[in-house]
Amino acid sequence: MTPTICDVGPRDGLQNEPETLPPPTRAELVNRLAAAGVARIEAASFVRPDAVPQMAGAEEVVRAIERRDGTEYSGLALNAKGYERLVASGLDRVNYTLAATESFSKRNANQSLAEARSAAKEVLERSDLPVTVTISVAFGCPFEGRVDPGVVADLAGELGRAEIVLADTIGVATPRQVRRLVEGTHARGVHLHNTRNTGYANAVAALEAGATLFDASCGGLGGCPYAPRATGNIATEDLVYLFEGDGIETGIDLDALIATSEWLEGLLGRRLEGQVYRAGASAG
């Protein structure tokens, strides 16, 4: 089975940058990723602009996207109001995120965990769009430490009508932990950060455990405004290089991804976290 790679750079990547890129530029990033053959792109975040100013103008981003056949465009919602904005924008899929811990839920979404669970269930009942539920801090929380896998399994079970993604939001997981939690929850996907340099090993472990959906970010952009010291996502081009090198087809043009990260590097004026866009796709 060909794994689905979702590039979250336009949302989870750019939300942690000090600069706020204008909506047309964020839409161009989405268009470049789609042209490279990325099957799913998280295009925007429907959150309050005063909370995450880098994501302001989500509707304008969506209007500027040049839709391509074969690409599914999703957006992030953290509450019912965000969900309504997302649906009205015309995107293809809802990504609803809730935390595995009370502390992170209050910091990230300004909701108790009980409120977040209730809101997620309401979205699942209401939505005519496919819904992905990402369980953030599934392996460790910056405020509460290690997260009980049983708590995550219970959450995944409650919300099992959705596509479930397990997020290592602060990059503390190791391959054995990832393998066990993917197997124990039957989650379809993982969202991995490379904070402690275990992200790519964790991706392989998730693949071996049966995961078929992998979030990644061009150039390794990312982090979380509410997670101290959290660094970037695994880089999309690095993950594609890893999978393709092992004979796992992704359907993505690696050279086009590299060119996109080079464009981003010039735009942001700094070296990005990814390795492959700097090293190249081959030894030649």
PDB file of all heavy atoms in Angstrom, residues 8 55 68 156 230 236 278:
ATOM      1  N   VAL A   8       2.041  19.372   6.268  1.00  0.00           N
ATOM      2  CA  VAL A   8       1.406  20.321   7.195  1.00  0.00           C
ATOM      3  C   VAL A   8       2.170  21.639   7.272  1.00  0.00           C
ATOM      4  O   VAL A   8       1.892  22.478   8.122  1.00  0.00           O
ATOM      5  CB  VAL A   8       1.259  19.694   8.607  1.00  0.00           C
ATOM      6  CG1 VAL A   8       0.395  18.448   8.550  1.00  0.00           C
ATOM      7  CG2 VAL A   8       2.625  19.373   9.220  1.00  0.00           C
ATOM      8  N   MET A  55      -1.533  32.612  11.251  1.00  0.00           N
ATOM      9  CA  MET A  55      -2.586  31.897  10.527  1.00  0.00           C
ATOM     10  C   MET A  55      -3.768  32.798  10.164  1.00  0.00           C
ATOM     11  O   MET A  55      -4.811  32.315   9.712  1.00  0.00           O
ATOM     12  CB  MET A  55      -3.082  30.716  11.368  1.00  0.00           C
ATOM     13  CG  MET A  55      -2.059  29.604  11.543  1.00  0.00           C
ATOM     14  SD  MET A  55      -1.702  28.721   9.994  1.00  0.00           S
ATOM     15  CE  MET A  55      -0.116  29.451   9.520  1.00  0.00           C
ATOM     16  N   ARG A  68      -5.960  21.099  -7.487  1.00  0.00           N
ATOM     17  CA  ARG A  68      -5.431  20.092  -8.409  1.00  0.00           C
ATOM     18  C   ARG A  68      -6.090  18.757  -8.127  1.00  0.00           C
ATOM     19  O   ARG A  68      -6.265  18.368  -6.957  1.00  0.00           O
ATOM     20  CB  ARG A  68      -3.915  19.943  -8.250  1.00  0.00           C
ATOM     21  CG  ARG A  68      -3.117  21.153  -8.692  1.00  0.00           C
ATOM     22  CD  ARG A  68      -1.634  20.932  -8.459  1.00  0.00           C
ATOM     23  NE  ARG A  68      -1.090  19.881  -9.304  1.00  0.00           N
ATOM     24  CZ  ARG A  68      -0.492  20.093 -10.478  1.00  0.00           C
ATOM     25  NH1 ARG A  68      -0.361  21.321 -10.950  1.00  0.00           N
ATOM     26  NH2 ARG A  68      -0.003  19.094 -11.175  1.00  0.00           N
ATOM     27  N   ALA A 156      -8.875   7.501  21.515  1.00  0.00           N
ATOM     28  CA  ALA A 156      -8.973   6.985  20.142  1.00  0.00           C
ATOM     29  C   ALA A 156     -10.213   6.121  19.989  1.00  0.00           C
ATOM     30  O   ALA A 156     -10.905   6.176  18.959  1.00  0.00           O
ATOM     31  CB  ALA A 156      -7.714   6.203  19.789  1.00  0.00           C
ATOM     32  N   ALA A 230       9.596  22.837  21.637  1.00  0.00           N
ATOM     33  CA  ALA A 230       9.226  21.940  20.543  1.00  0.00           C
ATOM     34  C   ALA A 230       9.808  22.475  19.246  1.00  0.00           C
ATOM     35  O   ALA A 230       9.666  23.649  18.934  1.00  0.00           O
ATOM     36  CB  ALA A 230       7.716  21.819  20.428  1.00  0.00           C
ATOM     37  N   THR A 236       9.249  16.748   4.938  1.00  0.00           N
ATOM     38  CA  THR A 236       8.568  15.950   3.918  1.00  0.00           C
ATOM     39  C   THR A 236       9.558  15.326   2.943  1.00  0.00           C
ATOM     40  O   THR A 236       9.470  14.135   2.622  1.00  0.00           O
ATOM     41  CB  THR A 236       7.564  16.823   3.147  1.00  0.00           C
ATOM     42  OG1 THR A 236       6.734  17.503   4.077  1.00  0.00           O
ATOM     43  CG2 THR A 236       6.706  15.978   2.225  1.00  0.00           C
ATOM     44  N   ARG A 278      19.246  20.238   1.446  1.00  0.00           N
ATOM     45  CA  ARG A 278      20.605  20.796   1.415  1.00  0.00           C
ATOM     46  C   ARG A 278      21.613  19.800   0.862  1.00  0.00           C
ATOM     47  O   ARG A 278      22.535  20.166   0.151  1.00  0.00           O
ATOM     48  CB  ARG A 278      21.032  21.223   2.832  1.00  0.00           C
ATOM     49  CG  ARG A 278      20.353  22.515   3.277  1.00  0.00           C
ATOM     50  CD  ARG A 278      20.792  22.941   4.655  1.00  0.00           C
ATOM     51  NE  ARG A 278      20.074  22.260   5.712  1.00  0.00           N
ATOM     52  CZ  ARG A 278      20.637  21.564   6.687  1.00  0.00           C
ATOM     53  NH1 ARG A 278      21.928  21.432   6.749  1.00  0.00           N
ATOM     54  NH2 ARG A 278      19.896  21.007   7.624  1.00  0.00           N
TER      55      ARG A 278
END
